[in-house]
Amino acid sequence: MTRHHDSRHAVSNQAVAADCARLADLLEIAGENPFRVRAWRNAAETIEGLGERLADAVAEGADLTAYPHIGKDIAAALESRVRDGVLPPLEEIAVRVPPELADLMAVKGLGPKGIKALYDAFRIRGLDDLAAAAEAGRVRELPGFGPKKEQALLAGIRQLRARGERRTRLDAAERLAEPLREWLAGGSGVGDVVIAGSYRRRKETVGDLDIVAVSSDGDSVMARLFAYDAIERTVSHGTTRSTVVLEGGLQVDLRAVPAESLGAALVYFTGSKAHNVVLRQRAIDRGWKLNEYGLFEGGRTLAGADEAGVYRALGLAWIPPELREDQGEVAAAETDALPALIEPGDLRGDLHAHTDWSDGKAGLEAMARAAAERGLEYLAITDHGPRVRVANGLDAERLRRQGEAIDALQPELSDITLLKGCEVDILEDGRLDLPDEVLAALDIVVCSIHFHLDLPRDRQTERVLRALDNPHCMIWGHPTAREIGRREPIDIDLERCLAAAAEKGVAVEINAQPKRLDLCDRHVRLALQKGCRLVINTDAHSVANLDLARFGVDQARRAWVTSEQVVNTLPLAALRRVLRPRP
DNA sequence: GCCGTTTTCGGCCCGACTGTTTTCAGTCG
């Protein structure tokens, strides 16, 4: 036995995945077997995508080889990494290859071969070394390099220093992508224009935009792209493919395809990479070839024009883009066992919304009418409780008066029912910031954490378990309190808390605010495994925010959620039976 | 180093673009 397992100091999945990815980079720079390199990269992706914590799995003695792309060797290394903090193969390669060389892989235009050449010739180990050598004009002297490459590397370094590896939030990507899509579609001779890639899979952030445009004449589509006014610079340009960077730094890859290849191109460029590998393997198994132009048997085209046709030819039902992550969707498509994913129109109500009684922008009536206009049957008014003082949270007396205001307003609203609610704060010790008898008068009680986000795991877990145990707690709001790109999720035993929520019948929120998307897709899937009911809420702080529900639905779809698993798809009467105080 | 309806060995995705070449390697997606 090694040292006592202390969950508070357990290593994060991200940290382990980063080590695996670094090892893969170093192996590649060292010129090792490329398939061994890929094995470690696959392992890194597996770990990054796990719903549960690898450290917990190891502590429980789980068999890591049950995970995809984790075999005997990698499993042993991972156990060592979790228990002793050391990934043995990484230690071994570090003797031969300076570990910091892996950082150079992030420079656009520089790969393992280039890194090795630069190190062998000039002992270049990091960004600073590389920048100095390039500025001194020494890089161009190396075989395989030249003046243009040298300038490209300097540009790559500048870009890396300016932006890092930052990804763009889905809502921000939409605001950039939709105008561009319309511009391209307005070009002469341009047919369908589809934004593929992780954007189409509705990932919470995108690294770049992959756009597929139908045209018999690639050059005219590309000309249309280069005439767009928000382009910062051109990275590459060809007849079938061009790459530009938009103002603000988002990269766009545009592919022109003939109509007969649109389906295959969409499959190919929507990805994910892992999904494509499975499809391609399936084609190979049948003696066929799948690429972005179609599905081929020798010279004969089996499919290509439409996406469903490509899947059909491979013996599969069409797979919604949100599921294309190699998480079992191909097997499900083979047996027609894909879930009927929830759709935005399935939502009948919203159970988390703020008004100008606390920190919302709009009044009760404006919110109610806006929700009705959007076709909702019910809207829960859940302003903050008193603990969130900066948001002008409501104490018991103001909450009572708000209830009277709702009662007075309701008769004037024919199309929608307002529910009296509150977003109460889960205090540091797990109590709520309003007493039980106040909560007992409400239709909907959302319990959320807003403060003390950095409690150690054990205390954070106990805190939430206690809140979930309150008989008035109906919804666990933005459970991990993360904000994308800004704030990490709280450290908590999520599995245990989700199991408790399932047992108590507390609905777990998918907060649709694009900055939150909390729970995230992986955790939603974990919640389903634990048997939780879900609720998709906008947490609206304005009328316009009521339109954000679809972002929550996107993440639910990515987690294989059907409408039956989401309580706010229920008619109001049924909802009331499901969400109510417990005895 | 992983994987298995060609299963314990022999595979492992592949096409476009760039810059360097003078027929192609490296990188990217």
Side-chain angles (χ1 to χ4, degrees), chain A residues 326-551:
Chain A
D326 188 23
Q327 296 287 321
E329 71 278 7
V330 174
E334 189 169 30
T335 55
D336 242 336
L338 288 167
L341 298 179
I342 185 170
E343 295 178 9
D346 295 340
L347 296 179
R348 290 174 186 256
D350 191 337
L351 298 179
H352 186 168
H354 297 265
T355 72
D356 55 8
W357 283 70
S358 67
D359 60 348
K361 302 259 192 308
L364 269 180
E365 181 166 2
M367 289 297 284
R369 295 201 187 278
E373 275 167 25
R374 285 158 176 75
L376 296 187
E377 296 171 23
Y378 48 88
L379 174 71
I381 302 300
T382 56
D383 277 304
H384 287 286
R387 172 67 181 84
V388 190
R389 212 167 255 136
V390 288
N392 194 24
L394 280 62
D395 59 18
E397 173 55 19
R398 287 183 68 219
L399 192 58
R400 191 189 58 75
R401 294 217 310 273
Q402 186 183 54
E404 291 172 0
I406 290 172
D407 286 336
L409 177 60
Q410 185 64 62
E412 298 174 32
L413 304 169
S414 48
D415 298 333
I416 190 164
T417 303
L418 288 183
L419 300 174
K420 294 172 199 164
C422 185
E423 184 186 13
V424 301
D425 184 67
I426 301 174
L427 301 171
E428 186 177 358
D429 62 2
R431 288 179 300 130
L432 305 178
D433 69 341
L434 284 168
D436 285 0
E437 59 270 23
V438 173
L439 301 181
L442 298 174
D443 300 307
I444 293 293
V445 176
V446 180
C447 299
S448 314
I449 283 183
H450 300 97
F451 304 105
H452 300 293
L453 303 176
D454 54 356
L455 290 186
R457 186 178 175 90
D458 295 349
R459 278 177 61 196
Q460 200 71 276
T461 302
E462 291 306 319
R463 173 192 194 181
V464 168
L465 288 174
R466 183 172 176 190
L468 295 175
D469 198 37
N470 184 302
H472 299 286
C473 174
M474 299 176 195
I475 292 171
W476 182 14
H478 47 71
T480 75
R482 67 112 176 220
E483 288 185 10
I484 295 170
R486 286 194 50 217
R487 197 163 74 199
E488 289 300 302
I490 54 173
D491 188 11
I492 192 169
D493 186 340
L494 197 58
E495 284 190 73
R496 207 170 143 210
C497 293
L498 291 172
E503 188 204 327
K504 307 280 180 195
V506 174
V508 177
E509 184 175 78
I510 300 174
N511 189 294
Q513 294 277 335
K515 70 173 180 185
R516 290 193 185 270
L517 298 179
D518 180 14
L519 294 176
C520 69
D521 48 11
R522 297 194 323 271
H523 289 154
V524 172
R525 239 187 144 178
L526 188 62
L528 290 185
Q529 284 167 21
K530 297 290 167 192
C532 293
R533 290 192 194 111
L534 302 169
V535 56
I536 300 173
N537 290 329
T538 64
D539 192 2
H541 284 67
S542 67
V543 165
N545 275 182
L546 290 169
D547 293 322
L548 297 176
R550 61 192 177 85
F551 287 100

Side-chain angles (χ1 to χ4, degrees), chain A residues 129-178:
Chain A
D129 295 348
L130 179 56
E135 275 159 12
R138 284 190 288 139
V139 169
R140 69 179 69 184
E141 307 303 334
L142 273 184
F145 290 76
K148 285 196 169 172
K149 190 85 184 170
E150 192 172 75
Q151 287 307 307
L153 294 183
L154 280 171
I157 292 169
R158 274 194 301 275
Q159 187 193 352
L160 192 61
R161 285 179 170 155
R163 292 190 75 239
E165 279 285 84
R166 231 181 13 251
R167 293 174 64 89
T168 305
R169 240 168 52 186
L170 186 55
D171 58 322
E174 266 191 10
R175 288 191 287 274
L176 294 167
E178 291 305 325

Side-chain angles (χ1 to χ4, degrees), chain A residues 155-220:
Chain A
I157 292 169
R158 274 194 301 275
Q159 187 193 352
L160 192 61
R161 285 179 170 155
R163 292 190 75 239
E165 279 285 84
R166 231 181 13 251
R167 293 174 64 89
T168 305
R169 240 168 52 186
L170 186 55
D171 58 322
E174 266 191 10
R175 288 191 287 274
L176 294 167
E178 291 305 325
L180 174 55
R181 196 191 62 72
E182 279 171 32
W183 167 260
L184 292 171
S188 64
V190 181
D192 289 343
V193 179
V194 182
I195 304 164
S198 50
Y199 183 91
R200 186 163 178 242
R201 301 200 312 278
R202 308 310 287 167
K203 277 194 74 166
E204 63 191 31
T205 60
V206 301
D208 61 10
L209 295 176
D210 294 293
I211 305 182
V212 177
V214 172
S215 175
S216 53
D217 168 23
D219 286 326
S220 69

Side-chain angles (χ1 to χ4, degrees), chain A residues 226-246:
Chain A
F226 293 117
Y228 193 60
D229 62 3
I231 290 177
E232 188 179 284
R233 64 189 171 85
T234 300
V235 176
S236 71
H237 52 89
T239 302
T240 60
R241 193 184 108 184
S242 294
T243 301
V244 299
V245 176
L246 296 182

